[in-house]
Amino acid sequence: MSKTIVLTGITTTGTPHLGNYVGAIRPAIEASRDYNVLPFYFLADYHALIKCQDPERVGQSTLEIAATWLALGLDTENAVFYRQSDIPEIAELSWMLSCVTAKGLMNRAHAYKAAVQANEESGEADPDKGVTMGLFNYPILMAADILLFNAHKVPVGRDQIQHIEMARDIGARFNHIYDEHFVIPEAVVNENTAILAGLDGRKMSKSYDNTIPLFLPEKQFRKLIMKIKTNSLEPGQPKDPDTCTLFGIYKAFATAEQVAALRLRYEAGIGWGEMKQFLFEYLNDHLMTARERYEALIQSPDKIEEALQEGAAKARECSVPFMKKIRNSVGIRSLRS
Ligand code: TRP
C-alpha cells in the first residue's frame, strides 16, 4: 500500500509556545508514529525572511523549533524532518511555478490584500508601500513546498486554507500546460484541536505578545502562569470554567476524568491563586522530561544539525529526481545527445 504523504511547514520566526504545541506540534508528532503516513515536516526558513529581517532571530528560532520537535519525540525514522533552505529544488520549482501563475491570482491573496488595505486606511498614497515581492510571492513558494513532494494532505490553521487552494490551482495549471506531474493537495484543518487563550485572554499568538513559551525554565514558567488574566471573583465564589483561560489550558492537556474533577472545584469556588498553582504543577510535571531533553539539545546544536542534514538527504532522494523530470518537461535540457 502506498503511504499518504502529509506535509507541513513551520515558519522560523518565533519560540514555540503552548498554543503551537496543542494546535500543531502535538498532532503532527502523533501522526509521525503512524506508519501508514509518510510525514514531511520542515522548517520554513525562506518563509521566515518574508516577515523577519533579523538574522539572529531567524537562526535562534530555527534552533528552538528543531530542538522542540526532537525533544517531544518526533519519530525521524518515519518522518522526513528538514530545513527548507537545504532543498535547493524548492527555490527552483518556485520559479517555474511563478511562470505559470497569473498575477491576478496573487493579487487576491489575503496577506497581500491586508497589507494594501492597511496602506489605504492610513491614507498612504502608494497602496503597495512596504510590500515586498517576497510577501507577494509567498503563496507560490508555499505551493512549491507542497507540490515538490506530492503531498496529499497539508495540515494547516484556518488562515492558511487559501494558500492550499492556490497551490491546487497552480499545480493544476502546471499539470495542464506540461505533464501530469503533481498531486493536487488537500488542506486538513483539524476542528478538534483546542485553540488556547494567552496571558490576556485573547487567542495565544505571537502577534498579541501574550504567549507562554513551551520550554521556559521552571521558575519563569511559573511566573507566567501566575500572570494569566482572571476575573475578580473571590475564593469560595463559584466560577465558570468554560470562559476561563486557566481551565482551557488544563483541558488541552488533562484526561476527561481530570477535567470533570476540576469542573467540580470551579463550582465549589476554587481560588485563582490555588488554581494557578495547580495548573503550573500539572503542566510542569507534564513537560518536565521533554524540557530536559530540549535543554540538552539546545546545548548540542551539532546533533540537531545532524538530524536536519539526514532529513534533507532523505527529502532530496525525492526532490532531485523529480526536479530532473520537471526540468526536462519544461524544455530545460542538456544539449548533449
Ligand atoms: N505559511 C505557513 C504558516 O505561516 C508555513 C508554511 C510554509 C507551510 N510552507 C508550508 C505550511 C507548506 C504548510 C505547507 O503557517
Side-chain angles (χ1 to χ4, degrees):
M1 198 199 79
S2 72
K3 295 188 180 197
T4 303
I5 298 179
V6 174
L7 177 145
T8 199
I10 317 101
T11 308
T12 55
T13 47
T15 298
H17 57 69
L18 290 176
N20 297 142
Y21 173 66
V22 168
I25 308 174
R26 185 170 64 186
I29 288 179
E30 274 165 19
S32 77
R33 305 203 180 102
D34 174 355
Y35 278 65
N36 295 316
V37 165
L38 174 57
F40 283 77
Y41 299 148
F42 67 96
L43 304 165
D45 53 355
Y46 283 153
H47 282 270
L49 304 184
I50 296 168
K51 49 183 171 182
C52 178
Q53 297 181 342
D54 173 354
E56 293 313 314
R57 173 112 174 265
V58 173
Q60 181 64 20
S61 172
T62 302
L63 174 72
E64 290 176 355
I65 294 173
T68 298
W69 286 64
L70 295 171
L72 289 166
L74 175 69
D75 183 348
T76 51
E77 287 298 310
N78 190 34
V80 186
F81 186 53
Y82 56 100
R83 174 164 46 201
Q84 184 182 34
S85 59
D86 284 334
I87 316 296
E89 294 74 30
I90 294 175
E92 186 176 359
L93 180 60
S94 184
W95 177 254
M96 295 196 185
L97 298 178
S98 305
C99 297
V100 303
T101 302
K103 174 172 176 288
L105 183 68
M106 295 300 99
N107 286 342
R108 292 194 284 279
H110 297 319
Y112 171 65
K113 272 174 52 179
V116 170
Q117 196 183 345
N119 281 333
E120 280 165 355
E121 280 167 7
S122 69
E124 174 56 52
D126 176 6
D128 281 333
K129 176 147 189 228
V131 175
T132 63
M133 288 309 294
L135 177 68
F136 193 68
N137 290 336
Y138 174 146
I140 304 179
L141 178 58
M142 192 158 152
D145 293 330
I146 297 168
L147 298 173
L148 183 62
F149 294 104
N150 278 320
H152 302 99
K153 305 211 154 160
V154 186
V156 283
R158 301 209 139 275
D159 61 318
Q160 296 290 321
I161 295 176
Q162 189 196 33
H163 294 144
I164 311 305
E165 273 158 14
M166 290 179 159
R168 293 167 62 91
D169 278 2
I170 296 169
R173 181 95 190 112
F174 198 95
N175 282 349
H176 177 76
I177 299 174
Y178 300 109
D179 303 303
E180 287 286 321
H181 286 295
F182 299 127
V183 166
I184 303 305
E186 265 171 48
V188 183
V189 179
N190 192 339
E191 307 288 349
N192 299 323
T193 54
I195 294 174
L196 298 193
L199 296 174
D200 58 359
R202 291 185 294 174
K203 180 187 169 192
M204 192 181 291
S205 159
K206 204 170 27 165
S207 29
Y208 295 144
D209 197 21
N210 65 356
T211 65
I212 302 173
L214 186 56
F215 292 134
L216 221 46
E218 189 171 308
K219 260 192 162 163
Q220 282 163 262
F221 188 61
R222 181 171 183 281
K223 233 177 156 172
L224 271 192
I225 302 278
M226 295 296 156
K227 269 199 191 156
I228 296 173
K229 196 173 144 200
T230 53
N231 59 28
S232 54
L233 293 175
E234 299 288 338
Q237 291 183 278
K239 298 178 175 64
D240 178 13
D242 296 312
T243 54
C244 176
T245 301
L246 301 165
F247 190 85
I249 296 177
Y250 183 72
K251 202 170 143 192
F253 286 85
T255 64
E257 292 81 57
Q258 290 172 322
V259 172
L262 184 63
R263 227 171 238 291
L264 298 177
R265 293 175 71 188
Y266 268 67
E267 276 170 31
I270 187 172
W272 291 132
E274 186 186 344
M275 177 54 205
K276 286 178 173 179
Q277 181 63 24
F278 173 73
L279 179 64
F280 159 68
E281 284 169 15
Y282 186 87
L283 292 178
N284 196 49
D285 284 352
H286 190 92
L287 297 172
M288 185 122 52
T289 4
R291 184 200 287 138
E292 279 163 14
R293 282 200 295 263
Y294 174 82
E295 283 166 358
L297 280 162
I298 292 283
Q299 296 310 315
S300 29
D302 291 5
K303 267 198 199 150
I304 303 177
E305 186 60 44
E306 201 178 304
L308 291 176
Q309 291 311 319
E310 275 172 29
K314 272 206 270 177
R316 295 196 73 206
E317 279 172 27
C318 306
S319 64
V320 171
F322 191 44
M323 203 58 219
K324 210 170 155 186
K325 273 191 358 201
I326 293 172
R327 281 170 154 254
N328 185 58
S329 179
V330 301
I332 294 179
R333 299 170 184 157
S334 163
L335 298 177
R336 221 172 268 132
S337 53

